[in-house]
Amino acid sequence: MADVTLVRGDITTQAVDAVVNAANNRMRGGGGVDGAIHAAGGPEVLADCVRRFPDGLATGDAGWTTAGAMPARWVIHTVGPDRRAGQTDPALLVSCYRRCLEVADELGARTVAFPLVSAGVYGWPLDDAARIAVETLRDTPSQVTEARLVAFGEAAAAAVNAWL
């Protein structure tokens, strides 16, 4: 089980084996974390998404690409549930974190930086998103030694800190 840590900052600058992207189903870039990762990683990230995920990814699933120009070696993309579109089952959000850890294990990644999946434009309540992230990362067997939750703002950091 991973040691769950918290940092405030920019996920694209984390010196870890893999960063997690909160992607959309199409896997072609978007806004928020997804847009930041594609911008920081450069065109190699999108090209790898197109090659590896021609049909996209299902909600709750995860897969990997190169990290391009970012300090990390890989990006683990996961598609979180969109509460605003009626995807309210917490099991979908739990699945995102579990699948990311499974993909990390397949890659041999030991340090992984995570955003709070679905807590932005997808409308998942911040406190609940933080609880699900911390509990799932702590309770899921994995070879990952550090699961670093990267909070972009103070509200996200406080929400995560409440569950650590």
Side-chain angles (χ1 to χ4, degrees):
M1 288 183 270
D3 182 26
V4 180
T5 62
L6 167 67
V7 297
R8 271 199 64 196
D10 179 347
I11 198 163
T12 68
T13 65
Q14 300 299 304
V16 292
D17 295 328
V19 295
V20 171
N21 180 22
N24 59 49
N25 293 100
R26 292 182 355 180
M27 301 294 295
R28 301 298 181 261
V33 171
D34 195 21
I37 283 179
H38 278 268
E44 298 89 355
V45 176
L46 179 58
D48 215 6
C49 281
V50 170
R51 183 173 65 79
R52 291 179 183 275
F53 311 107
D55 300 319
L57 271 178
T59 301
D61 201 359
W64 67 275
T65 66
T66 180
M70 287 183 286
R73 183 170 178 190
W74 300 288
V75 175
I76 300 173
H77 304 266
T78 191
V79 180
D82 185 348
R83 283 186 68 93
R84 294 188 174 125
Q87 296 175 326
T88 59
D89 184 356
L92 289 170
L93 190 51
V94 169
S95 179
C96 290
Y97 291 100
R98 285 187 181 151
R99 283 290 299 132
C100 285
L101 291 172
E102 289 171 6
V103 171
D105 285 348
E106 291 167 13
L107 293 169
R110 297 296 176 253
T111 55
V112 182
F114 291 82
L116 283 178
V117 177
S118 292
V121 70
Y122 280 6
W124 207 274
L126 194 53
D127 183 61
D128 199 39
R131 178 189 61 78
I132 289 170
V134 171
E135 289 178 356
T136 305
L137 292 170
R138 276 194 180 143
D139 297 344
T140 302
S142 171
Q143 297 302 309
V144 171
T145 57
E146 182 190 6
R148 182 182 304 171
L149 287 163
V150 181
F152 189 70
E154 186 57 42
V160 170
N161 199 44
W163 293 101
L164 288 178

